[in-house]
Amino acid sequence: MKTLNLFTCLMCLLLFACSEDNDDNQQANNPNLVIKLKFDPNQERLNNIGEPATIPSGNAAQSPNVNRMSANYIELAPGAFTALGDGEVIFSGDETTAGGNNAINFQNAQFAGDNETFLTIPLSDVTAGTYEWVRVSLAYQEGEIDFLLNGTDYTGTLGSFVGYNTYITSFDLNGETIDVNGNRLQGFWAFEAEGFVTQGQAPEGATTVPNPLFDSSPIPQGSCVVTGEFENGFTITGNETQDIVVTLSFSINNSFEWTEVNADGKYEPSAGEQVVDMGLRGLIPMVSN
């Protein structure tokens, strides 16, 4: 009986070891493309055509502390003349007509924070080839900004909807529930501080959307499709044995901009200073293993 039990234990150990080997081999044979997000306040600040941009006279800006972000579309483009939609679309978020016109369905949106994973898909689902550019249609960003009220500095939470059109039932902003129950165009925002909540709409076309391919591959106004170039291209051979990580580094360099009433460089909504731009200021995709 003891001999039989020993034999049984040895067989179990052998089967377990084989199972682990099979799991390792299966993982090696099914590597993933992992998309991460990064928010960099020191990355170059660009304008709509991908050129370095300064803050316009009469305005002021600050770099927000972005906590999380949502994208609605990610596309890999082989070249500068690849039209929007003709590249390799690796992610497309949920959309709805519940609010009338077609819109991003915020209730089903996908989010990630700084240095967090936004998307993981099998590399076998991505067409092999070399891609020079990536396009990301942004939908929502949330973070802290500083403001001045009655001579005292405070910090509040800003949620900005930068997608082309977003259907929102309600959303939570720092513990406060904001009911919308409808569509909101690009530039809709809500702000919470000390339990006080307000909301507004940036002017049409005011949200910056950097596209260095402005001449060869234009992007429709209001779409918020930010374009970035791989430094040395991004090649998928189809023979990969390990995961590939692409980090999408977004510039938040003075990306929150407002009109100045009191020329002190501080956002003072109580003085009538108006938000004019919440768009991210550039995209650099970086590849690692």
Side-chain angles (χ1 to χ4, degrees):
M1 182 65 69
K2 289 183 179 179
T3 303
L4 179 61
N5 287 340
L6 179 61
F7 177 76
T8 302
C9 290
L10 289 173
M11 287 299 295
C12 288
L13 288 172
L14 180 61
L15 289 171
F16 180 74
C18 290
S19 175
E20 278 194 329
D21 288 342
N22 287 337
D23 289 344
D24 290 341
N25 290 334
Q26 185 175 12
Q27 185 176 5
N29 293 329
N30 294 279
N32 294 313
L33 174 60
V34 180
I35 304 294
K36 290 188 173 184
L37 305 184
K38 179 178 175 60
F39 314 124
D40 190 349
N42 299 311
Q43 194 168 305
E44 191 170 30
R45 185 178 195 266
L46 305 178
N47 61 15
N48 280 320
I49 59 175
E51 296 177 341
T54 57
I55 301 168
S57 177
N59 289 2
Q62 62 175 276
S63 301
N65 180 23
V66 177
N67 295 324
R68 64 174 186 156
M69 180 180 293
S70 176
N72 192 58
Y73 179 89
I74 302 176
E75 176 186 2
L76 303 173
F81 290 91
T82 305
L84 178 65
D86 288 348
E88 181 74 3
V89 179
I90 62 172
F91 175 75
S92 187
D94 187 40
E95 298 182 341
T96 180
T97 57
N101 293 332
N102 194 57
I104 297 167
N105 189 355
F106 182 74
Q107 272 31 68
N108 291 339
Q110 200 165 304
F111 300 91
D114 190 32
N115 291 316
E116 292 182 353
T117 297
F118 177 79
L119 177 70
T120 300
I121 60 172
L123 271 167
S124 58
D125 289 350
V126 184
T127 302
T130 297
Y131 302 95
E132 296 180 0
W133 301 85
V134 63
R135 297 182 173 119
V136 183
S137 179
L138 302 172
Y140 177 79
Q141 54 182 309
E142 182 181 305
E144 278 74 48
I145 60 169
D146 299 323
F147 69 101
L148 184 68
L149 178 64
N150 298 326
T152 302
D153 292 312
Y154 294 93
T155 298
T157 303
L158 177 74
S160 53
F161 293 82
V162 293
Y164 70 97
N165 194 21
T166 308
Y167 174 69
I168 312 161
T169 55
S170 65
F171 64 101
D172 179 275
L173 193 62
N174 199 29
E176 299 292 331
T177 299
I178 301 171
D179 295 316
V180 178
N181 294 310
N183 285 355
R184 293 294 183 269
L185 294 174
Q186 182 186 70
F188 174 67
W189 57 269
F191 181 68
E192 184 280 334
E194 306 293 328
F196 171 77
V197 177
T198 186
Q199 55 188 265
Q201 181 76 43
E204 182 180 357
T207 302
T208 297
V209 185
N211 177 22
L213 301 180
F214 183 83
D215 291 329
S216 61
S217 299
I219 300 297
Q221 184 173 328
S223 63
C224 206
V225 179
V226 179
T227 303
E229 183 178 15
F230 290 99
E231 183 177 6
N232 298 306
F234 172 41
T235 299
I236 296 176
T237 64
N239 299 315
E240 285 79 11
T241 59
Q242 59 183 338
D243 292 352
I244 297 178
V245 178
V246 174
T247 299
L248 303 175
S249 181
F250 294 96
S251 172
I252 56 171
N253 186 344
N254 286 322
S255 61
F256 178 70
E257 186 177 327
W258 65 91
T259 58
E260 284 269 80
V261 173
N262 299 319
D264 55 5
K266 294 187 176 184
Y267 177 47
E268 194 172 357
S270 61
E273 297 183 343
Q274 299 295 316
V275 179
V276 294
D277 199 345
M278 301 167 287
L280 295 173
R281 287 297 183 150
L283 167 59
I284 299 176
M286 298 175 289
V287 181
S288 61
N289 294 113

